Amino acid sequence: MRKLIIFLIAIFSASPSFAQGTFANCVSPKEMGEIVAANKFVAPTTAVITARKKVPNADVVRADLCKQENSFIYVIVALNKEGRAMHVLVSPESGKVTATK
């Protein structure tokens, strides 16, 4: 059942309105690499590892770099052990969690 839920979230998260919600200015994977390198941000994999520590036993289904006001934020979508989708926001400058929703 958990795999089915993960699959469904992965499908729906491909939709910009569901995946990004209030984060409508997310960049493509190619742009993410360029922005991370140019700004000396922590790697996306580091943000995912940090999110996994914040939400133990969660399955990460998506990781985006989104523009928020005048800066960027990693938006990690994770499915917790109860099957609930959560957004973990990670600062690309410090690699620390700034919020969970």
Side-chain angles (χ1 to χ4, degrees):
M1 181 65 165
R2 182 178 170 111
K3 288 185 180 187
L4 175 63
I5 293 171
I6 292 170
F7 174 75
L8 291 174
I9 287 181
I11 294 297
F12 288 119
S13 69
S15 164
S17 61
F18 177 82
Q20 298 165 348
T22 59
F23 304 99
N25 296 323
C26 297
V27 300
S28 71
K30 181 181 178 184
E31 291 173 311
M32 183 188 305
E34 295 169 358
I35 292 168
V36 167
N39 292 289
K40 297 185 169 100
F41 290 158
V42 298
T45 52
T46 302
V48 169
I49 291 168
T50 302
R52 283 191 175 140
K53 289 178 184 175
K54 184 69 175 177
V55 187
N57 301 317
D59 293 315
V60 172
V61 294
R62 188 170 180 97
D64 289 307
L65 180 64
C66 303
K67 189 144 177 96
Q68 186 181 40
E69 297 174 12
N70 294 328
S71 62
F72 286 95
I73 191 83
Y74 282 116
V75 179
I76 312 298
V77 180
L79 184 65
N80 69 13
K81 60 185 176 183
E82 288 84 27
R84 186 171 150 231
M86 301 187 64
H87 289 90
V88 181
L89 307 181
V90 178
S91 166
E93 291 90 0
S94 68
K96 295 181 180 179
V97 173
T98 61
T100 57
K101 298 179 180 187

